[in-house]
Structures are given as structure tokens and as C-alpha cells.
Amino acid sequence: MRTLTLILLASTLPWTVQAGSNDGPIKEEGAELLKPFKKQLMGALKQGLQQSPAEAVDICHVQAPGIPENVAPEGVELGRTSHKLRNPDNAPTDWQRELVQHYRQHEDRSPKSRTLDNGRVAYAEPIEVKPLCVTCHGPREQIPDAVRAKLDKQYPQDEATGFRVGDFRGIFWATWPAGDNPS
Ligand code: HEC
């Protein structure tokens, strides 16, 4: 039902007109640049979850912040951000905040591109909450005690709980110098 509603919405709303706006190459490039980041994040998460969800919090805490630097080609920046942050280092910049707001206010889940005024181009795609995610991002009372204890210790300012499956969680983003094809 939800999928049907989304399809109907997508076919009637004006942003579909942007299809011809020539940002296809930026979107393809951005999606490609994010692939290894997403893969390593998921790898770290799954490796941790094999031990326990609480262990996975520690592994994400240690590994997640360093992944963008390890996988981004020269000149490329990658990251994740959200309206409800766990790690305050992931706070959004202006263009990222604007897009996070857009996704929060619309059913739109399509990737976006932007031209920034510092000579770079930007790409972002929305992140949706999956069943796997609620162990650590769901309503606080549903988070296992051992996980909550780890979160309280590592992230005393944690705001990234209370999410439900299907919610908009935040964005993956990438920026690189305009005109470059870095991958
Ligand atoms: C084992 C617990 C755990 C699970 C499961 C988990 N996360 Fe997280 N998540 C974390 C931790 C810990 C961080 C903070 C990482 C850091 O320090 O950069 C985080 C950070 C994030 C961020 C970055 C923004 C922020 O709040 O700092 C996003 C986006 C995110 N998670 C989405 C997801 C999604 C989507 C899923 C499901 C596919 C998921 N997480 C599953 C523990 C988890």
C-alpha cells in the first residue's frame, strides 16, 4: 500500500520534471563514490553484530568515523548526517541541512545533486530505517539494556533513537570539485 502511494505521488509531483535537468552524471558519480563507504560501514556493523549488538556499538564507534578518509579518492569528501545525531561530529553543513529538511517534509526518496558556491558539486541520498537498525536507533524502551548502556557511555548527547522501520534517518553525502570525475 505504502509503495503504491509513493509511486502515485512520484508520478504527480513536480520534481519528476527535473529528470531532464542534466545532473545524471553527478548522481551516477556520487552513487559510485558512496559504494565503498556503505559497504565498509555495513561490514563493520555485521562483524560487530555477530558478537553482540552491544559489541557492534563499540565497533561502529571506533571504525565508522575513519571510513570516509580510507575510501574517498583525493579531493572527495564523504559522510553521513541527520536531523537526529548520535555522533555530533556528523552535524550537517548548510546545504546538507536544507536537504535533510526536504526529505523530512516530503515523501520524496530520490537522490539529489547540488552545485555549491565553493566550486564543488554535491550528491546526497536519503537513508531509510530498516528492521536491522532499530536495535540501536529504535524507541529507547525497545533498545536492549546492554546496548543502551554502551550508547549512554559513548554518546552522552545521543539523539538518534525513537526511529521506526521506514522512517527517514538521514543522508549519505559526497562532494568533489566541479568538473572532476574522481572515481
Ligand atoms: C549496533 C548498533 C547500531 C545499529 C544496528 C545501527 N547503528 Fe547507526 N549508528 C550507531 C552508532 C554507534 C553510530 C555513531 C557512529 C559514529 O560515531 O560515527 C551510528 C550512526 C549512524 C548514522 C550517522 C548519523 C549520526 O547519528 O551520527 C546514521 C545515518 C545511522 N547510524 C544509520 C543507521 C542505519 C540506517 C542503520 C540500519 C541499517 C543503523 N544505523 C544501524 C549504531 C548502530
Side-chain angles (χ1 to χ4, degrees):
M1 186 57 209
R2 189 182 168 84
T3 315
L4 183 60
T5 314
L6 281 175
I7 291 169
L8 290 175
L9 271 175
S11 61
T12 53
L13 290 171
W15 59 70
T16 51
V17 177
Q18 287 175 10
S21 69
N22 211 17
D23 65 351
I26 294 179
K27 289 182 180 166
E28 276 170 37
E29 184 64 33
E32 201 58 37
L33 288 166
L34 285 175
K35 269 187 198 163
F37 178 29
K38 294 193 215 171
K39 198 169 161 211
Q40 288 202 17
L41 268 176
M42 200 45 92
L45 183 59
K46 295 217 160 131
Q47 183 201 336
L49 288 173
Q50 277 173 4
Q51 299 171 57
S52 73
E55 195 64 33
V57 172
D58 280 344
I59 290 183
C60 284
H61 176 71
V62 172
Q63 293 192 13
I67 298 176
E69 216 173 307
N70 289 339
V71 300
E74 180 93 28
V76 175
E77 284 188 40
L78 308 173
R80 297 185 294 174
T81 189
S82 177
H83 52 299
K84 289 170 96 184
L85 290 170
R86 174 149 292 163
N87 185 339
D89 292 346
N90 293 325
T93 60
D94 287 347
W95 74 268
Q96 293 163 7
R97 189 175 297 111
E98 181 251 317
L99 271 180
V100 165
Q101 279 304 104
H102 169 83
Y103 287 120
R104 288 185 70 196
Q105 288 164 1
H106 300 85
E107 290 270 13
D108 183 15
R109 297 278 167 95
S110 66
K112 301 285 173 206
S113 71
R114 288 285 181 273
T115 303
L116 307 180
D117 46 18
N118 60 2
R120 296 171 73 82
V121 287
Y123 168 83
E125 57 185 58
I127 305 172
E128 194 178 85
V129 175
K130 300 277 189 304
L132 166 73
C133 319
V134 294
T135 314
C136 301
H137 293 293
R140 261 186 80 82
E141 64 281 4
Q142 288 174 27
I143 297 177
D145 287 347
V147 173
R148 221 161 48 205
K150 288 277 187 196
L151 291 174
D152 288 346
K153 181 161 165 267
Q154 310 278 26
Y155 303 96
Q157 307 172 50
D158 187 18
E159 292 177 350
T161 58
F163 288 95
R164 293 175 195 277
V165 174
D167 280 353
F168 168 71
R169 168 70 180 92
I171 57 171
F172 279 108
W173 60 265
T175 74
W176 62 97
D180 270 21
N181 190 349
S183 71

